[in-house]
Amino acid sequence: MKINYIEIAEHYLSKIVTSNYYLQSNPVKEIELLYPGFKALLNKLRFNFPVQFAYTETYRSNTLQKQYYSQGLSKIKTNGMHHYGIAADLIFIIDGQRTYKGPFDKLHTAYESVGGPDLGSLENWDAGHLQFIPVVEQNRLREEVNAAVLRFQRKQGLKIDGIIGPNTIAAAKKFYS
Ligand SMILES: [Zn+2]
């Protein structure tokens, strides 16, 4: 599958940075902030997978990511894949009950068969986690997003520092509304 990194970065700026969820520290379970290509992949997976599942977390703010990091729940301090709207954590629903005792091994095979990337070793320590891009491309995406933020700041006459502070958020809300 061809991945359009610039489009993911554009989605981040236009839909996520401008969202009311952007800074909030509660886990988001809705799929509305997810990148459309990823959402489509998850829907395909849901259609093809014999076991029902629900999302425990989709988008994640950097505030919450830092909390997870300090609690040892995540190895990433900021800008994880959840933050860009291209990751989701799943729990199975079996006999009407939410459970982590389900076919995670089959989940990843099914995800790949509908077009998702091979998530490699990530499957072992974060079994319910699915993401849109391969792990080796994560830094490429971060660079692409950073470049998009700098371009936006330059165009908008803001301080060009790559930091998404109040001024950049306000400008994005205005520009993309
Ligand atoms: Zn995750």
Side-chain angles (χ1 to χ4, degrees):
M1 185 180 47
K2 184 96 175 67
I3 296 169
N4 188 335
Y5 290 88
I6 292 174
E7 201 180 271
I8 299 173
E10 191 60 24
H11 171 81
Y12 173 72
L13 253 180
S14 63
K15 295 291 195 300
I16 294 181
V17 171
T18 58
S19 153
N20 290 332
Y21 290 116
Y22 183 63
L23 296 170
Q24 72 129 9
S25 56
N26 298 318
V28 177
K29 296 176 170 64
E30 294 79 19
I31 60 165
E32 59 175 286
L33 289 188
L34 295 180
Y35 174 67
F38 182 50
K39 230 191 281 184
L41 205 53
L42 290 175
N43 286 337
K44 255 195 227 169
L45 175 69
R46 190 182 280 293
F47 187 76
N48 283 284
F49 200 63
V51 181
Q52 244 192 303
F53 56 79
Y55 303 109
T56 55
E57 208 180 338
T58 55
Y59 166 73
R60 184 182 299 158
S61 70
N62 275 329
T63 315
L64 185 56
Q65 184 68 51
K66 277 177 204 155
Q67 279 178 33
Y68 285 169
Y69 179 81
S70 64
Q71 292 163 6
L73 297 172
S74 176
K75 296 177 182 177
I76 297 162
K77 239 183 213 170
T78 57
N79 295 340
M81 296 303 105
H82 284 276
H83 188 60
Y84 299 124
I86 56 159
D89 295 330
L90 274 60
I91 189 166
F92 292 113
I93 302 172
I94 297 172
D95 297 329
Q97 302 292 317
R98 289 159 76 90
T99 177
Y100 285 109
K101 288 186 186 126
F104 280 118
D105 50 335
K106 292 190 180 72
L107 182 76
H108 287 94
T109 312
Y111 184 56
E112 284 168 43
S113 75
V114 296
D118 180 356
L119 297 179
S121 62
L122 208 62
E123 294 175 16
N124 303 325
W125 60 271
D126 202 359
H129 171 99
L130 295 178
Q131 67 179 50
F132 189 62
I133 67 171
V135 175
V136 290
E137 300 288 0
Q138 291 181 174
N139 277 335
R140 176 178 170 188
L141 177 64
R142 291 189 181 100
E143 281 161 22
E144 208 65 73
V145 169
N146 191 48
V149 172
L150 293 173
R151 276 198 303 273
F152 180 76
Q153 289 177 329
R154 190 180 319 113
K155 265 195 278 178
Q156 294 290 314
L158 299 159
K159 188 176 171 195
I160 306 166
D161 57 5
I163 298 167
I164 303 171
N167 292 338
T168 301
I169 294 172
K173 279 185 175 170
K174 201 172 164 201
F175 183 77
Y176 291 109
S177 68

